[in-house]
Each structure stands twice: as structure tokens, then as C-alpha cells.
Amino acid sequence: MGLEMARNLQRHRASTGQTPITVYNRTQSKCAAVVEHGAHTVTSPAQVADASDVVFLSLLNDQAVKSVVTEILDALTVSSAPLLIADTTTVHPDTTQWVLDQISQRQQQLRRPVKFCQTPVWGAPPAAKAAQLVFVVSAGDDNSALAAIAVPAFARTTLDCGGDSLKAARFKVLGNFMIGAIIESLGEAFAVAHETGVGRELYLDFVKEVLPVPPVLGYARKMVEENGDAAKTQVGFNVRGGMKDVSYAIDVAKSAGMTLPVAELAHEHLQWVLDNGDESWDWSSLAYALRKQ
């Protein structure tokens, strides 16, 4: 996801005569796809911050976010314009709060003002490649500036959370829960359609005609193609990632004294796949659990 976002951002800036971006990846060879369009590459996140007014993060998990933010704060060496850190990673709201607290506690010791905002995105890898992501902003007065960077460079639109990064983190988690709930419902429906003689192919025709939404169609096809096993090879978001996001949604509901029964069921089925299948499969493979249990 981050690679496609960076590539599209650099392409857009090059085509509009703007300054090139500076990129870092712990696997340096991955930067080549962005560098070939004019980006500069460096050897640490701190060097990206030193060269930038806005730093976008797109990382594997919560621990990576904490590590990179800490490294940036520890190594700020340039006293210059304020730095805005915009995190596109899907994280637990507690991680967002941790970052906000770290910056608040250390602000007086930093050599430049630092602001953090949660800016998650929605969209499968093809949407990222086509610059069709949905981009959430939560930087308050800086939202317009962030939107101008993102659209049309790597996103097609923005959703505004004002200046509330915790709201943005919860928003993203609950959005991912909805996608997970759709996958769970599709998996149940396809399993019953197969067992009752309706057939997966005919049920897919129903989805195409009645629910022709790209994510729904994409996951439905994975439950039909390759005799229902396409989720084992057509991986957009793996089982562990799905379990993480579903568990975060359950936690958000608990924080409000509520439950998400569908999320709990999806988590159970993903756990079955983890135990009996392969964590590298797409999270839509929970349909496989429904067929095999």
C-alpha cells in the first residue's frame, strides 16, 4: 500500500513541477520503484523528517509505528518549520493515544514543533495502484493542506475527522469491521448456497446484479473461483491482518460498553483458518472455515 501511495505521489509531484519526495523503507530495494520517478532515498526515518514538512507513515503494525515515531523524535536535528506526521497505518486507538502523549510530553525538548494525525486509508491494492484510495484526515487546520497533497495524487476523496486523531483511528477500525462483516456474511451465504444446491456460481450472479460494489464483488469472486479456494492464492489482506483489525473493532465496541457479535464470529472463523490452514491466505478464506467446519 505504502509503495503505491509513494509512487503515485512522486509521479504527481513530478508532473506538476513540485519538489520530489524523500522516501525510506527498511528494505531499501523497494524504494527503487519510487526513485525511478525522481524521489530521493535516505537510510532512516529521521532523515526523511529532516528533509520534510510532512511525513507519511505506512507501516506493518502498531509496534512499528511506535518505533518509527520514537526514532524520529529522538533524532530531530534540524530546527525549522513545524513537522506534521501523518500515519496511514491501521492501528489500535490506544497506539494513537500513545503517540499523541509522547509528542505532548516531549514537545518542549524538540528542536521543531511536531504535530501528529491519524490519516488511514481505505482501498485494496488495485485501488492504491490506480490512485483511488479513500483518505481520512484528522489534522484540524491542516486538513485542507493534507487533502491537497493526497487528491488526486494517491486518493480520490477525503473523509474529514476534524482535529480528532482518536476519532480517525476508531473510524478506520470500524470501517474495516464492516468489510469483515461483509466477508463473514458472504462466506456464510456461499457455504449454504453450495450445500443446498443453489450453487456458488449462481449466488455470485446475485451479488453481481444486486450488490455490484467493487469490494463485495472482489471478495465474492474469491469464494467462487478456483473451486472456492482463490483466497489461498489471491491475497490482498492476510489472515493475521484480518484478525488484528477485527479484534481492534471488538475492543472499540467494548470501550463503549457494547459488543460486535459478527466481529466475534469472524474472528472465530479466522482463528480456525490460522489453526487449520495458512496465515498467508487472504482473510476472505474465513469462507473456507465455514465450508470445512
Side-chain angles (χ1 to χ4, degrees), residues 33 38 56 69 78 90 100 110 112 131 134 139 160 164-165 187 189 225 244 246 253 284-285 289:
F56 288 100
V69 168
V78 177
T90 300
L100 291 170
L110 300 176
R112 61 191 291 198
V134 175
D160 196 325
D164 192 339
S165 283
E225 294 174 359
K244 180 200 74 170
V246 169
S284 60
S285 62

Side-chain angles (χ1 to χ4, degrees), residues 112-277:
R112 61 191 291 198
V114 177
K115 182 177 180 179
F116 176 85
C117 61
Q118 205 67 52
T119 55
V121 297
W122 278 294
K129 188 172 184 177
Q132 292 294 298
L133 295 172
V134 175
F135 181 61
V136 178
V137 291
S138 63
D141 293 341
D142 292 313
N143 281 345
S144 294
L146 278 178
I149 293 171
V151 181
F154 61 78
R156 63 178 174 82
T157 192
T158 61
L159 298 176
D160 196 325
C161 284
D164 192 339
S165 283
L166 281 173
K167 179 179 179 179
R170 296 184 185 112
F171 186 28
K172 170 60 172 173
V173 167
L174 291 176
N176 283 14
F177 155 68
M178 177 59 72
I179 297 170
I182 290 169
I183 294 171
E184 173 66 30
S185 297
L186 286 170
E188 293 179 15
F190 276 110
V192 175
H194 178 68
E195 292 298 325
T196 58
V198 171
R200 290 192 291 260
E201 291 78 9
L202 182 59
Y203 201 80
L204 178 59
D205 288 339
F206 157 76
V207 174
K208 290 176 181 177
E209 296 300 328
V210 180
L211 301 168
V213 181
V216 177
L217 280 173
Y219 286 119
R221 287 192 175 103
K222 289 182 183 182
M223 297 178 188
V224 175
E225 294 174 359
E226 299 178 28
N227 197 32
D229 288 340
K232 297 179 182 180
T233 57
Q234 299 176 23
V235 182
F237 191 53
N238 67 26
V239 172
R240 281 203 182 276
M243 290 184 70
K244 180 200 74 170
D245 285 5
V246 169
S247 67
Y248 286 0
I250 292 170
D251 284 350
V252 167
K254 284 181 179 178
S255 72
M258 303 173 72
T259 62
L260 290 175
V262 176
E264 292 169 0
L265 193 57
H267 192 277
E268 175 187 325
H269 292 144
L270 288 166
Q271 183 65 57
W272 190 94
V273 175
L274 190 65
D275 294 339
N276 299 278

